[in-house]
Amino acid sequence: MARPKAVRAPTTASLPNNLRIPSSTPSLTKSLGKLSRQALLDLAFTWLDDRNIASFPPYLQADEEDSPDDDEALPYPAGETIEEVRQVYEDLQDRKGAKREVLERILEGDWRHGITLRQLAMADLRYMDDHPASLRWTALELSRIDTKQKKSSKPPPADWSGSVPRMQAATFVQGLQREISPLVKAHYHLAHSATLPLTFLRIFVVDSPYQSPRQAAEIFTDSSRVIYVAFPDSCPYVYTSIAASTGSKATPSPSSVATDTRTLQRLVRDSIPKALSRPQERFSLQATSLAAKNLPTLLALRGPGRSTASNGAFSIFADAAIEGSPLDPRPSNTVAPEEHIQTSHSSPVEGKENTNGSAAKRRSSGIDTSPVSPDSKKRRLAIHSRFGTLGSSLAPAPLDRLDIRLLDKPSSSDELDDDDDDNVDDSTSTLPAVSLTFSGSDVIGGIRRLAELGIVDPERMPSWMTGEEGVSVATVRLGQRLQKDI
């Protein structure tokens, strides 16, 4: 009698956590090979923990008896108990060695039966914690949609606490899965960062309506199908990122629906505010014109701290560079501006000179060893009044890229009247455009250095150039940043 064929029916359920990827997949070896030796050992100890052993069971001798395949050809024998497997990794941690032996032990030894989707997601998030600048992130603002305020002419309240939805993580993932499931099949992994005040959501999508898709194994390690969403703690902002494809892509079948990364990103972005919304509480995502590769930069500019409320000159108080407050009516106990500037500009060479006896005698006699010209002093005061602590070592929040689009008529100049400015239509597509791109390890710090050298006038700099507005993309006309896109 012929065996009945298994019937697969489409479902809206998400991909299961225990869906295994064959350990012999080359792209899986490449994905786990990005981690360091210590990171691989930490993951192995996490998988072998008593709380996770049911989700990530290793390959034991009992499994070898149930399915006797070609296990004799593998270089690592199966362990008898969980304690024996733990002891193997403790021995690997006690001695020095290469990363390859730990990776081979995981893929060819204790997890030779495959790595689950959840294990791969944990490895990706561990790599992100170790390398916070591995992806490029875009900051989006969560804003509450209030129908009552639309009908009334009163301005919305300035308190941002109303824009922070309060919801459990499991409820949010269920709502997001309900929005995405009619289009693609996805796997979700939610975890809190070990180094930053962030909660990461890793979303892997596949073009299949079935809970057990039959695509090639390489498709589960394709990084272009992974979307990361980061939620800062107590903050009305959301960070999104799409990883660039690094592994080999599986050839899609003619019947599969092709989903490019831009469509995928727009799909997830549109679903996030819907999943966070509740009856009578609707949210939307607004662009912030800020994108960076460094997550600490996004936390400093669009995070649970001051955000864009005290950049520029006021950053010296927000970053506690000096004591006191500009709004305090009592007598200030802060240092003088000249002393603060001289301290921040002191170099190691000057410190070595101060250790000499002759320099000490000159200081005791009141002789200034490094006189500052009036022009240099005026320029330093202007730099501190415009940049504050931005671009310095006191507040490291480096922007790696600054894209500026200038929209000006050929006859435009600083002498144009306000009446002429009103006649210019912002939506006109015939305006000439000049695109400027500044890139480097710290763009704002580089512009500040140019101002210190006297190449750029700090007093005439616009606010988007000094980092005061905290943006990485701007459309500028007549020196002013346009708030709406053109």
Side-chain angles (χ1 to χ4, degrees), residues 355-387:
T355 58
N356 298 332
S358 59
K361 292 180 180 179
R362 287 195 297 268
R363 287 199 311 271
S364 61
S365 60
I367 301 176
D368 191 3
T369 58
S370 57
V372 180
S373 62
D375 295 338
S376 178
K377 181 179 178 181
K378 181 180 179 181
R379 184 169 62 252
R380 289 184 180 182
L381 286 173
I383 291 172
H384 278 265
S385 64
R386 297 304 311 278
F387 289 91

Side-chain angles (χ1 to χ4, degrees), residues 339-359:
E339 184 179 353
H340 173 65
I341 294 174
Q342 186 176 1
T343 304
S344 61
H345 283 79
S346 61
S347 60
V349 178
E350 295 176 357
K352 293 181 181 179
E353 292 179 354
N354 292 338
T355 58
N356 298 332
S358 59

Side-chain angles (χ1 to χ4, degrees), residues 414-441:
D414 296 337
E415 299 178 357
L416 289 177
D417 298 331
D418 295 338
D419 296 336
D420 297 337
D421 297 341
D422 297 337
N423 295 331
V424 179
D425 187 9
D426 293 345
S427 61
T428 305
S429 59
T430 58
L431 291 177
V434 178
S435 298
L436 301 177
T437 300
F438 303 90
S439 61
S441 58

